[in-house]
Amino acid sequence: MDKVINCFSKRPDAVARLICFPWAGGGSIHYARWGKILTSIEVFAVKLPGREARAKEPFFQSMEQIVDEVINVLLPVLKEKPFAFFGHSFGAMTSFAVADTLKRVHKLEPIHIFLSGASAPYSEMRIQAPKRSDLSDEEFLQWMTRIGGTPPELLANPEVVKLFLPALKADLHVVENYRCDRPESPLLSCPVTCFDGKQDMPHDLQAWKDISSGDFTVQMLPGAHFYLKDAANETVILDYITKYLEMAEMDYL
């Protein structure tokens, strides 16, 4: 468990668990820190190979590898209490892929799924998007500069770039080769909330409505792709998550 999940604050009496999936190239620290803020919720932040304490492990090559590892580790504890998923960008895709397999294979589903900064995997907007993992390092860094979220001084440091670029490209390779058909009927029954930055490039958020028969909500916040790193936006997101998970826990009982 500790190899794959980062949990800063163990909360055995938490009303629910929030399982967070990193963005492309990202680690677990940003989300694990939420565990110190959310006093009624226990936060599990997923750690993928090739970064942090798993830096010496080879990157995953497919979405199936991510799904298999996460489910193998989490399955024994998912029945303990209600759980929800949060994922940003690449993390939105991985959280959906895990939720899909959990429901189809194990008849388990989250009480809420929070998706951020990404089109649904089967939407035309996503399918037609240019592949970034094939770009040269120079083109890739130019693209990263445009989307923001990474301090310019880090992008200008060759040693730092050498550290994070392989993980980022590996994750983009996974998500760009992930294929999923539009569901003919809803896979889930839980509520779905989509967050996005108002200044980010457009995403087909409405297409996510097809994954669940539950309530569907879109929340637009100021900022570009990494809008969620802004302190004010983070407060809005965490207040929203807390409210909905505490209400869902009452329904669960």
Side-chain angles (χ1 to χ4, degrees):
M1 171 77 85
D2 289 343
K3 184 179 94 165
V4 180
I5 299 297
N6 195 350
C7 180
F8 276 4
S9 301
K10 305 285 186 185
R11 300 193 185 279
D13 297 326
V15 298
R17 284 196 180 98
L18 179 67
I19 300 161
C20 299
F21 296 81
W23 51 77
S28 62
I29 303 300
H30 180 88
Y31 294 128
R33 188 175 50 83
W34 287 1
K36 294 184 175 181
I37 303 170
L38 301 176
T39 56
S40 62
I41 297 162
E42 188 173 56
V43 177
F44 281 4
V46 172
K47 289 187 285 187
L48 295 177
R51 66 216 78 189
E52 297 177 318
R54 305 185 67 186
K56 293 183 179 178
E57 297 178 43
F59 301 116
F60 282 149
Q61 300 296 311
S62 70
M63 187 65 81
E64 289 74 21
Q65 287 179 291
I66 296 174
V67 169
D68 288 348
E69 181 180 69
V70 171
I71 289 180
N72 286 340
V73 167
L74 289 181
L75 197 57
V77 301
L78 288 183
K79 297 176 183 177
E80 294 176 352
K81 63 180 62 191
F83 63 93
F85 288 164
F86 182 98
H88 174 67
S89 198
F90 168 70
M93 298 289 187
T94 54
S95 60
F96 165 70
V98 171
D100 178 25
T101 300
L102 267 179
K103 184 61 182 280
R104 286 188 295 100
V105 179
H106 303 285
K107 305 296 184 278
L108 287 171
E109 72 171 284
I111 56 171
H112 205 120
I113 186 164
F114 303 95
L115 303 164
S116 168
S119 299
Y122 43 78
S123 70
E124 282 302 312
M125 185 177 289
R126 182 258 170 171
I127 292 168
Q128 294 175 8
K131 287 198 171 187
R132 308 294 185 184
S133 59
D134 295 336
L135 295 174
S136 69
D137 287 357
E138 183 180 352
E139 292 170 324
F140 201 87
L141 291 174
Q142 290 172 353
W143 170 66
M144 286 192 66
T145 302
R146 287 199 302 274
I147 66 171
T150 306
E153 60 271 20
L154 294 186
L155 295 178
N157 185 322
E159 293 303 313
V160 173
V161 168
K162 193 189 300 183
L163 287 174
F164 74 76
L165 208 56
L168 184 49
K169 281 194 166 185
D171 289 351
L172 288 176
H173 172 80
V174 167
V175 77
E176 287 171 353
N177 288 281
Y178 172 52
R179 291 291 175 264
C180 170
D181 293 332
R182 184 181 294 269
E184 293 183 6
S185 59
L187 306 166
L188 307 170
S189 59
C190 65
V192 176
T193 298
C194 288
F195 294 101
D196 213 352
K198 292 178 181 177
Q199 285 76 48
D200 196 1
M201 63 173 162
H203 294 117
D204 187 357
L205 303 178
Q206 291 297 321
W208 285 112
K209 190 183 295 186
D210 295 340
I211 70 172
S212 181
S213 59
D215 291 343
F216 178 78
T217 308
V218 171
Q219 294 282 321
M220 301 298 293
L221 296 170
H225 190 57
F226 284 102
Y227 74 93
L228 75 168
K229 288 186 175 183
D230 176 82
N233 286 340
E234 182 176 75
T235 297
V236 171
I237 292 167
L238 296 184
D239 286 350
Y240 185 97
I241 289 172
T242 299
K243 171 187 160 188
Y244 274 86
L245 294 194
E246 288 180 349
M247 285 172 53
E249 194 266 345
M250 292 170 62
D251 295 339
Y252 187 82
L253 294 174

